[in-house]
Amino acid sequence: MPALSSPPSLFSDAAPFSQPKKSAPRAVWTPKTRVVAADEFIARQARVSPVAAALLRQRGFTTAASIDAFFHPSPAVLRDPQALPDIEKAVARLIRAIEDGQKILIFGDYDADGVTSTALLVRSLRLLGAKVDWRLPERLEGYGLTPAVITDAHAAGFDLIMSADCGITAIEPAKLARQIGIDLIITDHHEPSSELPDAIAVVNPKRHDSTYGFDGLSGCGVAFKVMQALITAYNPRLLPSFSQKYLDLVALSTIADCVPLCDENRYLASEGLRRLYDTKKAGLRALIESMSAKDAAKRYDKGFFIGRDVSWGLAPRLNAAGRLASPRLALELLLCDDPDECQERAQELNAINTQRKTDQEIALRGALELVESQTNLDSDLLLVAAHPSWHRGIVGLIAGKLVERYHRPAFALSIHNGHAHGSGRSIHGFDLHALIEATRAHLSSGGGHAAACGLSLPEANIESFRSAALDFAAQTLTLDDLKPTLTPDCEVSGTHLDGELTRDLALMEPCGTGNEEPKFLLRGARVEGARAFSMGRHLELTLRQDNRRLRAIWWGKGDRLGEFRVGSYLETIFVPKPDTYTGNGEIQLIIDDARLEL
């Protein structure tokens, strides 16, 4: 058995499924950069590998000082929470609630960011002696603060509602709260409309009048800043320990919610991952220990986590609760302090996530069959797949996988009781929000942004929606737009792949949105060996390029063994990883894509 890292299927949202009978045309592979002479110069100055210098140049870091600052995030980048809009109003109202013993309701969201935001606010306010409770929406109820939440809170005797990761568009609920005499504080990070809710405070760095200077915080990041300001004003002696207590939650949300990992988010995520490693929260520790991935277990033993341990490990488990069961299960775990109870709750989330992966794989197979049988891939510029067996919580994942496979906009719809609910995902340059507006006559509801949307419609309207959506796509897209283009970060040769590079890549962590894990292009690699392993599921290739012998692993692609014969030449897009199994310093290539050279 070769020295391998764990395959994504054990650990992540990835679920293997069979090759379709039809596929997208051969992709264009265009590297973003190559190593040039200037990179060699900066590499010597910054004491990094030339490839790392090229990568960082392409991402805007062109001096030794800027590279050092990127590799070693500093708390000096953190902004003063007092610069957030309405922060003083929010703090003043929270202090009054604490001092007067008023009841506070935290209302969050059903995804990982909403759950961590709610957990941070509840834990922080309880630490300050507040009377606080919480509520999360169920996915079938829909997203966001609603009039029903306001009236229920009023009936239960709450004096103050504080939103977490939602509420910025809650115009009518805010008016109702004002009318019936319950105060409302909004904390959110989503895009506001032209009108803000009429609340006591609306804390959102994306407000058009915000002077905060960075609008990329997660919902939990905004909650963290609000609590930081509150503790500074109300009980500053607790401030030194505040970051130690809660940066683990902030890091989890920042990576899970795909906000940009730049500016202060890079520090919050980087330092937060360190805090996550030795977290004192029994619920988080139980969730970490429940992850089955060998890669994560080894990093846990060595004392560090990377971005994918959140995005492929912790976040899917928290999100699975909101997708298939109830987000309460995730939040209750994050608020629980009993180790034995936490172990039980973590195993429950694990089981739900396993079920989610099973449901997703089955649904993906069905979606592929529908596309292959119902779609003319030579002419249809857009995909619509619908089925009554698909759970509403996974339709967005299905749509995303269809886009990935066929490289065209895709909708996945779950049908129940004569109505369809679904999600759309897009490709670059095609605006799903505009499509929703153009097809609204066929829909019961719909909204979103250019890259993703949600919609509902009568089952009887699915075919008319499909037709209208195809007509709209025909006005915007051509078949040339469907030809996928892959843009690996840097083209390299075999001599570039050494321990210095993997050391520098480790310093680029945490990777995620806005600081993506670098992918490399290697051309002219001669196949010296090929075999399938793990009952034929995965593919191992032995390659030689530039007189360097390299081992490459392609997860889930054992069925492509016959394509790569000894003596043939291939090109591959890959991520280099150290051999964590033997620790001998060798590098293995984790293949993202590979093909024979023409």
Side-chain angles (χ1 to χ4, degrees):
M1 173 64 67
L4 307 175
S5 302
S6 297
S9 59
L10 294 179
F11 188 35
S12 71
D13 270 357
F17 49 94
S18 59
Q19 296 287 324
K21 292 175 287 185
K22 305 171 186 176
S23 60
R26 185 177 173 95
V28 176
W29 290 7
T30 306
K32 295 177 182 177
T33 193
R34 298 174 177 84
V35 175
V36 298
D39 301 320
E40 302 277 1
F41 176 75
I42 290 296
R44 290 190 294 271
Q45 283 193 325
R47 297 183 179 180
V48 300
S49 67
V51 174
L55 285 171
L56 293 168
R57 165 178 54 79
Q58 199 276 328
R59 298 186 183 197
F61 303 97
T62 57
T63 66
S66 64
I67 290 172
D68 183 69
F70 177 77
F71 275 174
H72 304 96
S74 165
V77 302
L78 296 179
R79 288 175 162 77
D80 184 353
Q82 292 297 327
L84 284 166
D86 284 357
I87 191 72
E88 292 182 357
K89 296 177 183 178
V91 167
R93 183 62 186 89
L94 288 167
I95 290 175
R96 179 157 67 89
I98 295 170
E99 291 181 339
D100 294 351
Q102 295 179 345
K103 292 176 64 178
I104 305 171
L105 176 68
I106 307 300
F107 182 81
D109 189 21
Y110 44 64
D111 67 359
D113 191 17
V115 169
T116 51
S117 302
T118 305
L120 187 148
L121 291 174
V122 170
R123 281 185 170 273
S124 301
L125 288 168
R126 285 176 178 171
L127 181 70
L128 297 175
K131 294 180 179 178
V132 60
D133 206 342
W134 54 267
R135 175 174 171 176
L136 298 177
E138 300 295 332
R139 186 173 287 268
L140 297 184
E141 296 174 359
Y143 165 83
L145 198 61
T146 63
V149 173
I150 304 297
T151 55
D152 289 350
H154 185 258
F158 286 97
D159 304 284
L160 174 64
I161 300 173
M162 186 175 188
S163 76
D165 189 36
C166 65
I168 193 62
T169 59
I171 307 301
E172 294 306 316
K175 290 179 180 177
L176 177 61
R178 183 76 73 177
Q179 291 170 2
I180 64 178
I182 187 168
D183 287 342
L184 176 63
I185 294 174
I186 302 291
T187 74
D188 200 356
H189 74 127
H190 293 98
E191 290 288 346
S193 61
S194 57
E195 181 183 2
L196 293 176
D198 182 17
I200 294 292
V202 180
V203 185
N204 185 337
K206 283 192 172 75
R207 277 181 51 169
H208 304 306
D209 60 345
S210 174
T211 59
Y212 185 68
F214 178 62
D215 66 0
L217 291 172
S218 67
C220 190
V222 175
F224 176 81
K225 292 287 184 174
V226 174
M227 290 298 98
Q228 189 179 29
L230 174 62
I231 291 170
T232 300
Y234 187 68
N235 195 345
R237 68 182 179 83
L238 296 176
L239 201 56
S241 65
F242 177 67
S243 293
Q244 296 180 12
K245 288 180 181 292
Y246 300 114
L247 273 184
D248 49 8
L249 293 173
V250 177
L252 205 167
S253 78
T254 298
I255 296 169
D257 211 51
C258 299
V259 293
L261 291 177
C262 60
D263 204 277
E264 62 180 334
N265 276 350
R266 177 157 173 79
Y267 174 80
L268 292 171
S270 178
E271 182 62 25
L273 283 179
R274 282 190 277 272
R275 301 294 180 187
L276 186 62
Y277 164 73
D278 61 1
T279 183
K280 301 300 187 291
K281 296 180 182 65
L284 273 179
R285 184 166 292 280
L287 195 60
I288 291 166
E289 292 171 355
S290 75
M291 293 192 304
S292 63
K294 297 175 184 176
D295 234 15
K298 287 173 183 170
R299 285 193 288 274
Y300 188 65
D301 290 341
K302 291 182 178 181
F304 68 94
F305 284 129
I306 63 174
R308 68 169 57 209
D309 295 322
V310 170
S311 57
W312 287 16
L314 297 175
R317 286 162 170 79
L318 294 175
N319 281 327
R323 291 187 188 279
L324 298 189
S326 170
R328 293 179 60 92
L329 301 176
L331 180 56
E332 286 167 351
L333 174 65
L334 296 184
L335 294 176
C336 182
D337 293 318
D338 180 83
D340 292 335
E341 183 181 345
C342 286
Q343 289 293 336
E344 293 179 7
R345 291 182 179 276
Q347 290 304 323
E348 184 178 12
L349 288 189
N350 239 355
I352 294 170
N353 190 49
T354 299
Q355 183 62 50
R356 187 271 307 166
K357 287 192 282 188
T358 300
D359 290 353
Q360 179 182 333
E361 182 172 356
I362 293 171
L364 280 169
R365 292 182 187 278
L368 288 172
E369 292 174 2
L370 286 173
V371 169
E372 298 288 340
S373 64
Q374 298 180 359
T375 303
N376 185 341
L377 293 173
D378 294 327
S379 60
D380 287 359
L381 303 173
L382 177 144
L383 306 176
V384 178
H387 202 275
S389 70
W390 299 344
H391 193 286
R392 281 174 60 179
I394 63 171
V395 289
L397 302 175
I398 299 169
K401 290 296 184 181
L402 291 177
V403 172
E404 180 183 310
R405 179 55 60 97
Y406 297 105
H407 200 259
R408 63 197 71 199
F411 291 86
L413 305 172
S414 170
I415 303 170
H416 184 66
N417 289 339
H419 214 76
H421 297 266
S423 292
R425 297 293 183 269
S426 193
I427 60 174
H428 178 72
F430 186 77
D431 189 344
L432 287 183
H433 177 74
L435 182 147
I436 290 294
E437 293 303 318
T439 61
R440 194 166 289 281
H442 307 275
L443 306 178
S444 302
S445 64
H449 50 83
C453 69
L455 69 163
S456 67
L457 65 160
E459 180 182 1
N461 287 7
I462 291 176
E463 288 308 315
S464 63
F465 167 72
R466 185 201 309 269
S467 178
L470 284 168
D471 288 344
F472 180 85
Q475 300 172 26
T476 308
L477 296 173
T478 68
L479 288 174
D480 286 341
D481 296 319
L482 306 187
K483 190 172 185 179
T485 299
L486 301 183
T487 54
D489 294 272
C490 187
E491 184 172 349
V492 297
S493 67
T495 56
H496 288 131
L497 304 175
D498 56 20
E500 186 181 24
L501 174 59
T502 56
R503 178 207 66 191
D504 293 341
L505 294 179
L507 290 172
M508 293 184 71
E509 289 287 345
C511 292
T513 302
N515 183 42
E516 285 75 13
E517 182 177 48
K519 293 182 180 180
F520 299 93
L521 173 61
L522 183 71
R523 301 186 196 269
R526 185 177 187 273
V527 179
E528 293 193 341
R531 74 181 189 96
F533 65 95
S534 292
M535 300 178 65
R537 293 184 65 207
H538 311 304
L539 181 64
E540 178 189 2
L541 299 174
T542 302
L543 307 174
R544 185 171 294 277
Q545 201 269 1
D546 207 5
N547 206 30
R548 177 77 186 276
R549 190 170 183 269
L550 302 162
R551 169 180 286 164
I553 305 298
W554 202 355
W555 301 119
K557 300 297 182 180
D559 60 344
R560 296 187 63 178
L561 173 63
E563 296 180 32
F564 303 102
R565 299 185 181 277
V566 172
S568 61
Y569 285 82
L570 61 76
E571 54 189 7
T572 179
I573 297 173
F574 66 95
V575 177
K577 293 290 182 182
D579 182 345
T580 57
Y581 184 80
T582 64
N584 60 12
E586 291 296 315
I587 291 175
Q588 58 190 10
L589 313 186
I590 306 302
I591 294 176
D592 188 66
D593 203 353
R595 63 191 185 186
L596 294 176
E597 292 193 332
L598 296 178

